Amino acid sequence: MLSAQERAQIAQVWDLIAGHEAQFGAELLLRLFTVYPSTKVYFPHLSACQDSTQLLSHGQRMLAAVGAAVQHMDHLRAALSPLADLHALVLRVDPANFPLLIQCFHVVLASHLQDEFTVEMQAAWDKFLTGVAVVLTEKYR
């Protein structure tokens, strides 16, 4: 799915994110709720305040899952199977929301990393996150 260069770019960006997962994740969720208010229905318990402990905690969990996917790029299905089961079978999240989340994640990455987030890196991350979304939605079929 990914070339050696794309894998390196994904790892390079992840190294820049590492240590800031909660903040990036909280910002990602806030952006998602702001741009696509219908997505908030899945998170009624989360405050829309960036400093909210619950929002930071969920943002941390979301980006921890992305980090696990980065570490297991060759085995996404196995790495993300429990998460796919949760979203499809328990939470019943509309799979149409995953592309919205990807779009918001790109904006968060670009706003924080600026010139370090090159066009090539953005393309690699788009390809990678699309692969993650495919794995997460396979359980819906």
Side-chain angles (χ1 to χ4, degrees), residues 62 65-66 79-88 136:
M62 284 178 56
V66 173
L80 298 177
S81 184
L83 196 58
D85 287 339
L86 175 67
H87 283 81
L136 291 177

Side-chain angles (χ1 to χ4, degrees), residues 2-15 73 121 124-125:
L2 297 166
S3 71
Q5 182 179 4
E6 290 167 332
R7 289 169 186 273
Q9 290 167 331
I10 290 163
Q12 184 180 358
V13 170
W14 186 253
D15 287 344
M73 280 188 248
M121 288 176 169
W125 269 86

Side-chain angles (χ1 to χ4, degrees), residues 3-77:
S3 71
Q5 182 179 4
E6 290 167 332
R7 289 169 186 273
Q9 290 167 331
I10 290 163
Q12 184 180 358
V13 170
W14 186 253
D15 287 344
L16 296 171
I17 295 170
H20 307 284
E21 293 91 339
Q23 295 82 5
F24 275 56
E27 185 176 333
L28 169 58
L29 286 166
L30 284 176
R31 183 169 299 280
L32 182 70
F33 300 156
T34 301
V35 178
Y36 304 104
S38 64
T39 60
K40 182 74 167 86
V41 73
Y42 298 105
F43 304 94
H45 60 288
L46 293 182
S47 166
C49 174
Q50 187 150 2
D51 295 335
S52 161
T53 303
Q54 292 173 325
L55 190 71
L56 287 164
S57 176
H58 196 77
Q60 172 75 34
R61 283 195 310 271
M62 284 178 56
L63 263 66
V66 173
V70 169
Q71 291 176 351
H72 302 285
M73 280 188 248
D74 292 326
H75 307 286
L76 283 179
R77 280 182 184 82

Side-chain angles (χ1 to χ4, degrees), residues 98-116:
F98 292 114
L100 307 179
L101 188 67
I102 291 170
Q103 181 185 43
C104 291
F105 195 30
H106 283 301
V107 173
V108 170
L109 290 174
S111 70
H112 282 276
L113 304 179
Q114 298 181 4
D115 292 341
E116 291 180 276

